[in-house]
Amino acid sequence: PSKKVLSVYSFSASYKTNLKDMKSLTAVQLEPCAIFLGFNVRDGVKKLYTNKQTLCDRMILKIESLFDIECEDCNDVYCNELGKEPLLRCRLCLQGSHDCEAMAEKAKTFNDLIQKGLLP
């Protein structure tokens, strides 16, 4: 089922079109792909995503987070890999950071602030 879901996503289509196309799939088709992309979709038998639009939105953002992107700090082009946790990840778009020296420094500062209780 994951291949079917991934094949519905189109790089050249708009977000709105991709969302509409993904929402046309069933939960039975979407769940294995969401798991493949690294999402927890169930807590025991309870579904964690009860809204198909929300699940499809997160899946589209996750797919797009795997595309090449230029690091704003070092200007290298990089891409995130499935199963590899980036130093930092945007909570809105799911884009992971580059693992360059500048980002490592930012991640350390961020983690220090969390440890001190200054950030959630």
Side-chain angles (χ1 to χ4, degrees), residues 47-59:
K47 288 184 179 183
L48 297 176
Y49 289 92
T50 56
N51 182 323
K52 193 192 301 188
Q53 178 159 335
T54 302
L55 179 59
C56 291
D57 171 70
R58 303 308 282 171
M59 290 172 65

Side-chain angles (χ1 to χ4, degrees), residues 22-107:
M22 282 190 133
K23 282 175 44 182
S24 71
L25 300 171
T26 66
V28 172
Q29 293 170 311
L30 292 170
E31 281 191 25
C33 187
I35 292 167
F36 173 75
L37 292 171
F39 292 99
N40 293 325
V41 293
R42 290 186 180 268
D43 183 13
V45 294
K46 180 183 176 202
K47 288 184 179 183
L48 297 176
Y49 289 92
T50 56
N51 182 323
K52 193 192 301 188
Q53 178 159 335
T54 302
L55 179 59
C56 291
D57 171 70
R58 303 308 282 171
M59 290 172 65
I60 290 168
L61 292 174
K62 180 67 174 191
I63 292 167
E64 292 177 350
S65 79
L66 301 171
F67 296 160
D68 287 350
I69 189 167
E70 185 175 325
C71 177
E72 293 179 14
D73 291 302
C74 71
N75 299 320
D76 279 354
V77 174
Y78 72 98
C79 71
N80 292 288
E81 299 173 26
L82 276 177
K84 184 178 176 191
E85 194 60 34
L87 295 170
L88 297 172
R89 180 181 307 279
C90 177
R91 292 182 183 181
L92 297 176
C93 72
L94 304 180
Q95 180 63 48
S97 67
H98 191 211
D99 61 358
C100 65
E101 199 172 302
M103 282 310 302
E105 185 82 22
K106 287 180 182 179

